[in-house]
PDB file of all heavy atoms in Angstrom:
ATOM      1  N   SER A  18      18.808  18.176   5.963  1.00 88.00           N
ATOM      2  CA  SER A  18      17.571  17.661   6.438  1.00 88.00           C
ATOM      3  C   SER A  18      17.636  16.503   7.330  1.00 88.00           C
ATOM      4  O   SER A  18      18.531  15.632   7.168  1.00 88.00           O
ATOM      5  CB  SER A  18      16.750  17.217   5.163  1.00 88.00           C
ATOM      6  OG  SER A  18      16.645  18.182   4.210  1.00 88.00           O
ATOM      7  N   THR A  19      16.723  16.521   8.326  1.00 93.00           N
ATOM      8  CA  THR A  19      16.653  15.463   9.300  1.00 93.00           C
ATOM      9  C   THR A  19      15.472  14.657   9.083  1.00 93.00           C
ATOM     10  O   THR A  19      14.380  15.153   8.830  1.00 93.00           O
ATOM     11  CB  THR A  19      16.631  15.932  10.749  1.00 93.00           C
ATOM     12  OG1 THR A  19      17.881  16.739  10.975  1.00 93.00           O
ATOM     13  CG2 THR A  19      16.574  14.867  11.783  1.00 93.00           C
ATOM     14  N   PHE A  20      15.538  13.374   9.118  1.00 95.00           N
ATOM     15  CA  PHE A  20      14.306  12.459   8.910  1.00 95.00           C
ATOM     16  C   PHE A  20      14.307  11.445  10.061  1.00 95.00           C
ATOM     17  O   PHE A  20      15.305  11.139  10.708  1.00 95.00           O
ATOM     18  CB  PHE A  20      14.638  11.602   7.583  1.00 95.00           C
ATOM     19  CG  PHE A  20      14.601  12.499   6.357  1.00 95.00           C
ATOM     20  CD1 PHE A  20      15.828  13.004   5.825  1.00 95.00           C
ATOM     21  CD2 PHE A  20      13.435  12.790   5.640  1.00 95.00           C
ATOM     22  CE1 PHE A  20      15.829  13.787   4.762  1.00 95.00           C
ATOM     23  CE2 PHE A  20      13.415  13.510   4.574  1.00 95.00           C
ATOM     24  CZ  PHE A  20      14.664  14.109   4.060  1.00 95.00           C
ATOM     25  N   LEU A  21      13.177  10.738  10.163  1.00 96.00           N
ATOM     26  CA  LEU A  21      13.043   9.541  10.959  1.00 96.00           C
ATOM     27  C   LEU A  21      12.820   8.392   9.959  1.00 96.00           C
ATOM     28  O   LEU A  21      12.168   8.538   8.898  1.00 96.00           O
ATOM     29  CB  LEU A  21      11.790   9.632  11.737  1.00 96.00           C
ATOM     30  CG  LEU A  21      11.821  10.627  12.945  1.00 96.00           C
ATOM     31  CD1 LEU A  21      10.405  10.623  13.639  1.00 96.00           C
ATOM     32  CD2 LEU A  21      12.936  10.258  13.876  1.00 96.00           C
ATOM     33  N   ALA A  22      13.570   7.328  10.179  1.00 95.00           N
ATOM     34  CA  ALA A  22      13.561   6.196   9.190  1.00 95.00           C
ATOM     35  C   ALA A  22      13.542   4.937   9.900  1.00 95.00           C
ATOM     36  O   ALA A  22      13.919   4.727  11.044  1.00 95.00           O
ATOM     37  CB  ALA A  22      14.746   6.231   8.212  1.00 95.00           C
ATOM     38  N   LYS A  23      13.065   3.923   9.221  1.00 94.00           N
ATOM     39  CA  LYS A  23      13.099   2.525   9.698  1.00 94.00           C
ATOM     40  C   LYS A  23      13.156   1.599   8.441  1.00 94.00           C
ATOM     41  O   LYS A  23      12.687   1.983   7.406  1.00 94.00           O
ATOM     42  CB  LYS A  23      11.992   2.081  10.617  1.00 94.00           C
ATOM     43  CG  LYS A  23      10.589   2.323  10.016  1.00 94.00           C
ATOM     44  CD  LYS A  23       9.486   1.639  10.817  1.00 94.00           C
ATOM     45  CE  LYS A  23       9.282   2.154  12.214  1.00 94.00           C
ATOM     46  NZ  LYS A  23       8.237   1.453  12.971  1.00 94.00           N
ATOM     47  N   VAL A  24      13.857   0.493   8.530  1.00 95.00           N
ATOM     48  CA  VAL A  24      13.958  -0.344   7.408  1.00 95.00           C
ATOM     49  C   VAL A  24      14.018  -1.833   7.883  1.00 95.00           C
ATOM     50  O   VAL A  24      14.441  -2.113   9.047  1.00 95.00           O
ATOM     51  CB  VAL A  24      15.266   0.019   6.675  1.00 95.00           C
ATOM     52  CG1 VAL A  24      16.506  -0.308   7.459  1.00 95.00           C
ATOM     53  CG2 VAL A  24      15.350  -0.684   5.286  1.00 95.00           C
ATOM     54  N   CYS A  25      13.592  -2.719   7.017  1.00 94.00           N
ATOM     55  CA  CYS A  25      13.643  -4.122   7.245  1.00 94.00           C
ATOM     56  C   CYS A  25      14.190  -4.751   6.020  1.00 94.00           C
ATOM     57  O   CYS A  25      13.563  -4.642   4.924  1.00 94.00           O
ATOM     58  CB  CYS A  25      12.251  -4.649   7.602  1.00 94.00           C
ATOM     59  SG  CYS A  25      12.210  -6.400   8.073  1.00 94.00           S
ATOM     60  N   PHE A  26      15.217  -5.632   6.208  1.00 94.00           N
ATOM     61  CA  PHE A  26      15.865  -6.420   5.069  1.00 94.00           C
ATOM     62  C   PHE A  26      15.630  -7.861   5.299  1.00 94.00           C
ATOM     63  O   PHE A  26      15.713  -8.370   6.470  1.00 94.00           O
ATOM     64  CB  PHE A  26      17.337  -6.087   5.098  1.00 94.00           C
ATOM     65  CG  PHE A  26      17.696  -4.753   4.484  1.00 94.00           C
ATOM     66  CD1 PHE A  26      17.964  -3.754   5.339  1.00 94.00           C
ATOM     67  CD2 PHE A  26      17.797  -4.565   3.123  1.00 94.00           C
ATOM     68  CE1 PHE A  26      18.270  -2.489   4.875  1.00 94.00           C
ATOM     69  CE2 PHE A  26      18.120  -3.320   2.618  1.00 94.00           C
ATOM     70  CZ  PHE A  26      18.422  -2.255   3.578  1.00 94.00           C
ATOM     71  N   ARG A  27      15.386  -8.564   4.237  1.00 91.00           N
ATOM     72  CA  ARG A  27      15.215 -10.079   4.244  1.00 91.00           C
ATOM     73  C   ARG A  27      15.980 -10.527   2.981  1.00 91.00           C
ATOM     74  O   ARG A  27      16.331  -9.694   2.093  1.00 91.00           O
ATOM     75  CB  ARG A  27      13.766 -10.599   4.131  1.00 91.00           C
ATOM     76  CG  ARG A  27      12.977 -10.173   5.343  1.00 91.00           C
ATOM     77  CD  ARG A  27      13.343 -11.179   6.573  1.00 91.00           C
ATOM     78  NE  ARG A  27      12.407 -10.913   7.695  1.00 91.00           N
ATOM     79  CZ  ARG A  27      12.688 -10.128   8.796  1.00 91.00           C
ATOM     80  NH1 ARG A  27      13.892  -9.471   8.773  1.00 91.00           N
ATOM     81  NH2 ARG A  27      11.894  -9.919   9.679  1.00 91.00           N
ATOM     82  N   ASP A  28      16.163 -11.760   2.847  1.00 88.00           N
ATOM     83  CA  ASP A  28      16.733 -12.359   1.598  1.00 88.00           C
ATOM     84  C   ASP A  28      15.892 -12.178   0.427  1.00 88.00           C
ATOM     85  O   ASP A  28      16.361 -12.225  -0.694  1.00 88.00           O
ATOM     86  CB  ASP A  28      17.044 -13.819   1.731  1.00 88.00           C
ATOM     87  CG  ASP A  28      18.256 -14.108   2.606  1.00 88.00           C
ATOM     88  OD1 ASP A  28      19.098 -13.135   2.924  1.00 88.00           O
ATOM     89  OD2 ASP A  28      18.404 -15.263   3.127  1.00 88.00           O
ATOM     90  N   THR A  29      14.614 -11.814   0.629  1.00 90.00           N
ATOM     91  CA  THR A  29      13.620 -11.808  -0.423  1.00 90.00           C
ATOM     92  C   THR A  29      13.363 -10.250  -0.800  1.00 90.00           C
ATOM     93  O   THR A  29      12.521 -10.109  -1.725  1.00 90.00           O
ATOM     94  CB  THR A  29      12.295 -12.389   0.003  1.00 90.00           C
ATOM     95  OG1 THR A  29      11.879 -11.807   1.212  1.00 90.00           O
ATOM     96  CG2 THR A  29      12.467 -13.899   0.147  1.00 90.00           C
ATOM     97  N   GLY A  30      14.003  -9.300  -0.151  1.00 94.00           N
ATOM     98  CA  GLY A  30      13.708  -7.909  -0.434  1.00 94.00           C
ATOM     99  C   GLY A  30      13.876  -7.057   0.802  1.00 94.00           C
ATOM    100  O   GLY A  30      14.414  -7.435   1.801  1.00 94.00           O
ATOM    101  N   TYR A  31      13.348  -5.783   0.658  1.00 96.00           N
ATOM    102  CA  TYR A  31      13.379  -4.913   1.822  1.00 96.00           C
ATOM    103  C   TYR A  31      12.121  -4.007   1.709  1.00 96.00           C
ATOM    104  O   TYR A  31      11.484  -3.819   0.691  1.00 96.00           O
ATOM    105  CB  TYR A  31      14.685  -4.120   1.787  1.00 96.00           C
ATOM    106  CG  TYR A  31      14.789  -3.114   0.557  1.00 96.00           C
ATOM    107  CD1 TYR A  31      14.162  -1.889   0.574  1.00 96.00           C
ATOM    108  CD2 TYR A  31      15.601  -3.432  -0.619  1.00 96.00           C
ATOM    109  CE1 TYR A  31      14.306  -0.985  -0.451  1.00 96.00           C
ATOM    110  CE2 TYR A  31      15.734  -2.619  -1.600  1.00 96.00           C
ATOM    111  CZ  TYR A  31      14.994  -1.394  -1.668  1.00 96.00           C
ATOM    112  OH  TYR A  31      15.171  -0.488  -2.656  1.00 96.00           O
ATOM    113  N   ILE A  32      11.995  -3.350   2.831  1.00 95.00           N
ATOM    114  CA  ILE A  32      10.908  -2.244   2.868  1.00 95.00           C
ATOM    115  C   ILE A  32      11.540  -1.108   3.810  1.00 95.00           C
ATOM    116  O   ILE A  32      12.162  -1.301   4.795  1.00 95.00           O
ATOM    117  CB  ILE A  32       9.620  -2.687   3.436  1.00 95.00           C
ATOM    118  CG1 ILE A  32       8.651  -1.599   3.333  1.00 95.00           C
ATOM    119  CG2 ILE A  32       9.704  -3.254   4.842  1.00 95.00           C
ATOM    120  CD1 ILE A  32       7.165  -2.068   3.540  1.00 95.00           C
TER     121      ILE A  32
END
Side-chain angles (χ1 to χ4, degrees):
S18 302
T19 301
F20 296 91
L21 290 176
K23 55 168 63 184
V24 67
C25 182
F26 287 95
R27 296 282 186 266
D28 288 341
T29 55
Y31 67 82
I32 186 167

